[in-house]
Amino acid sequence: GPPCPTDRLVLQVPARALLEGDTVTLRCRVRMDTTVTGIRFYHEEKDLGRLHHGTELSLSLLQLHHRGHYRCGGWVISLVSRWREKSAPVTLTVRSECGDGHG
């Protein structure tokens, strides 16, 4: 089978088509054997600060400027040290409601 992903942090984004005005929840999934603290979310590498609750970031009333790359990150804690780690980037696509030419 395919190799197990080694990422400690995986950003989960719903795989449905998003339109302006929708609400979406991004979830930062931490590997079972890993302790992570201080989870943060990033949009285009910009720290989104306190918009989130724990491991989930909810974006409501989506706008086109919400498009782009998102990551989550945090402090991975091991027995001997701690270090910052980020998930791979995931692209969020938002479509304009009036972009399909149907009036």
Side-chain angles (χ1 to χ4, degrees):
C4 225
T6 55
D7 306 20
R8 291 184 183 86
L9 293 161
V10 176
L11 185 60
Q12 297 177 317
V13 176
R16 59 193 177 85
L18 296 167
L19 291 172
E20 287 180 291
D22 281 353
T23 296
V24 66
T25 298
L26 314 183
R27 184 159 172 259
C28 192
R29 177 90 158 68
V30 178
R31 211 170 66 186
M32 295 252 237
D33 59 1
T34 304
T35 302
V36 177
T37 187
I39 286 179
R40 301 187 83 84
F41 289 84
Y42 303 87
H43 178 219
E44 301 293 356
E45 307 305 326
K46 177 176 177 277
D47 191 333
L48 292 178
R50 294 187 306 277
L51 287 176
H52 65 92
H53 309 284
T55 60
E56 293 189 345
L57 170 71
S58 282
L59 301 170
S60 54
L61 293 174
L62 279 176
Q63 304 296 320
L64 293 180
H65 69 253
H66 287 116
R67 288 188 290 199
H69 292 98
Y70 286 81
R71 294 180 192 253
C72 64
W75 290 98
V76 177
I77 299 172
S78 75
L79 289 173
V80 291
S81 66
R82 45 181 252 164
W83 63 93
R84 261 209 178 289
E85 204 158 299
K86 284 187 186 179
S87 71
V90 178
T91 302
L92 189 71
T93 305
V94 181
R95 297 195 350 240
S96 169
E97 283 194 275
C98 56
D100 57 7
H102 289 305

